[in-house]
Amino acid sequence: MLPRFHGYEETTKCLAQSLRRLGVDKVDLLLMHWPGPGYSAMGRSKERIRKEGIECYFKKGHEDIAAVRLETWRAMEDAYLAGKCRAIGVSNFSADHLSKLLTWDKLRVKPAVNQIELHPYLQQ
């Protein structure tokens, strides 16, 4: 799920559109690509971010990132339980993001994948 598709409704619509475009009933893996919703990357002002915080660029309704992340995960769980994907997982999550997801009291399906970036310039 790309950052611009975070939230329950957006995630559900994105998966339906992807399945339709691919011409399939299910995918092997549905992955939340980023732990937070997208914000405009174009024309960002360091001055504005310094004054208002990066949140000033978030989409309306995405002010509570942790809640939006969990709603995204809930939609992914529903898709998994409905048989629309064989596995669900996360990508680019910090240890704290992953820990909060795994200890969420409403968690029904644990991530099958935790994709991380690792290369000579980024050794985590």
Side-chain angles (χ1 to χ4, degrees), residues 51-107:
K51 287 180 182 178
E52 301 175 38
I54 192 67
E55 295 84 6
C56 68
Y57 289 104
F58 291 169
K59 286 171 53 176
K60 186 174 174 74
H62 286 181
E63 292 82 9
D64 185 350
I65 295 172
V68 173
R69 181 181 314 120
L70 295 177
E71 284 301 299
T72 302
W73 187 256
R74 186 171 65 88
M76 293 172 65
E77 288 177 322
D78 286 351
Y80 173 80
L81 295 171
K84 294 180 181 178
C85 51
R86 290 190 176 108
I88 55 178
V90 298
S91 178
N92 297 304
F93 271 44
S94 68
D96 186 52
H97 293 136
L98 192 56
S99 176
K100 286 179 181 173
L101 177 61
L102 293 173
T103 58
W104 183 35
D105 61 344
K106 296 179 182 169
L107 183 72

Side-chain angles (χ1 to χ4, degrees), residues 116-124:
I116 62 167
E117 181 178 4
L118 180 65
H119 52 77
Y121 297 107
L122 181 62
Q123 298 179 22
Q124 301 189 53

Side-chain angles (χ1 to χ4, degrees), residues 21-61:
R21 286 179 173 176
L22 291 167
V24 297
D25 295 331
K26 71 171 89 172
V27 291
D28 290 332
L29 175 64
L30 181 59
L31 194 66
M32 189 185 320
H33 177 74
W34 196 257
Y39 56 88
S40 173
M42 300 300 293
R44 286 185 291 167
S45 160
K46 288 182 184 179
E47 178 76 18
R48 183 173 180 203
I49 293 170
R50 190 171 27 260
K51 287 180 182 178
E52 301 175 38
I54 192 67
E55 295 84 6
C56 68
Y57 289 104
F58 291 169
K59 286 171 53 176
K60 186 174 174 74

Side-chain angles (χ1 to χ4, degrees), residues 103-115:
T103 58
W104 183 35
D105 61 344
K106 296 179 182 169
L107 183 72
R108 296 174 289 164
V109 181
K110 290 183 180 181
V113 173
N114 176 22
Q115 181 186 52

Side-chain angles (χ1 to χ4, degrees), residues 1-2 4-5 8-27 30 79 84:
M1 228 27 67
L2 292 173
R4 68 179 174 268
F5 297 112
Y8 189 90
E9 292 299 322
E10 292 88 349
T11 299
T12 303
K13 288 177 188 175
C14 180
L15 177 59
Q17 181 182 45
S18 294
L19 292 173
R20 196 169 43 255
R21 286 179 173 176
L22 291 167
V24 297
D25 295 331
K26 71 171 89 172
V27 291
L30 181 59
K84 294 180 181 178

